[in-house]
Amino acid sequence: MYVGHFALGLLITSVAPSVPASAAIIGSTWLDLINGLSTMAGINTVAPNLSAGPFLFFDLVFIDWDHSLAMALVLSVVWAFFYSGRGAKAAAVAFVASFAHWLCDLPFHNLDLAAYPYSAAHYGWGWWGRFLTYAWLLEGAFSAVCVAAAYVLFARRGVDISRPAVVCAILFLNLSPWTSPMYYIAQAGHPADYLLHGAGVTLGFAIPGYIIVNMVNNAEDRAVRKDSAPKSPRALKRE
Ligand SMILES: *[C@@H]1O[C@H](CO)[C@@H](O)[C@H](O)[C@H]1NC(C)=O
Ligand SMILES: [Zn+2]
């Protein structure tokens, strides 16, 4: 899953206005930020497969150190620890957002999510392999619902998140079956394929994540400046 992680991150952010926006928005992508680095370092094994679709075009052969169930829990505790200084609620939101990443990946991944590193047991309902382009559309529908709900919840506090919503729409179209850079990266040859795959995953989450967090913070600040709007707890905390 790609854009869906940002969409759920926005939704979680919308229901936790006192928590820094990065806790859930970057938190939702935390496992994949690590995943791209692990892939570049050669800790993960990914294999080009042009029929794997719908936008990844790789088989995720070994991703146990960031996408096994046990490591998802461990890394989510680490992410929560980063926010523990902001209080128990911030840490809890960070944990939920990070672990929700694994739950969102579960239906789409093709049986490549181990129980723990090197375990024989693997999870993943295989929607990517079974539904291909429809899996991409399904993720788009999920994302649209999450962003729409977040939009309404933010709007109740006078915060307009239409800019991050547009970014999500662009991300959805950018990683389509027809426009995904991974299609070309899968054909780049060894070792460029896995190095570019890893860089693509990490940067593909880091750059939009940074932009979306800033857009949400700016939207909160604009809402605070409007006298008629209720004060935003997140923006007040950042002052
Ligand atoms: C490539 O992906 C397809 C679709 O998921 C799968 O059926 C096939 O086994 C994969 N090929 C290899 C070599 O793993
Ligand atoms: Zn993932």
Side-chain angles (χ1 to χ4, degrees), residues 111-231:
L111 216 59
D112 50 34
L113 304 168
Y116 51 87
Y118 300 107
S119 84
H122 281 76
Y123 311 111
W125 306 348
W127 287 2
W128 273 341
R130 275 157 64 195
F131 303 136
L132 299 170
T133 298
Y134 294 106
W136 170 72
L137 289 173
L138 207 57
E139 181 179 344
F142 168 79
S143 306
V145 169
C146 287
V147 171
Y151 185 91
V152 170
L153 291 167
F154 269 109
R156 280 190 191 164
R157 293 189 297 108
V159 180
D160 173 11
I161 60 152
S162 39
R163 286 175 195 182
V166 168
V167 171
C168 286
I170 292 169
L171 295 179
F172 173 65
L173 297 174
N174 183 42
L175 217 64
S176 80
W178 307 279
T179 54
S180 169
M182 286 296 185
Y183 181 76
Y184 303 97
I185 291 174
Q187 301 172 71
H190 211 65
D193 51 4
Y194 81 85
L195 291 173
L196 290 172
H197 174 109
V201 170
T202 293
L203 294 175
F205 281 100
I207 295 169
Y210 177 81
I211 291 171
I212 291 174
V213 166
N214 274 289
M215 283 177 164
V216 168
N217 286 338
N218 289 338
E220 298 269 7
D221 291 345
R222 276 195 302 275
V224 166
R225 283 200 296 272
K226 276 189 215 154
D227 284 340
S228 54
K231 293 283 189 207

Side-chain angles (χ1 to χ4, degrees), residues 5 32 67 101 105 109:
H5 293 307
D32 274 345
H67 272 63
H101 178 105
D105 276 354
H109 278 237

Side-chain angles (χ1 to χ4, degrees), residues 47-53 58-59 61 110 126 128-130 132:
N49 177 358
L50 290 184
S51 28
F58 275 86
D59 289 324
V61 179
N110 301 325
W128 273 341
R130 275 157 64 195
L132 299 170

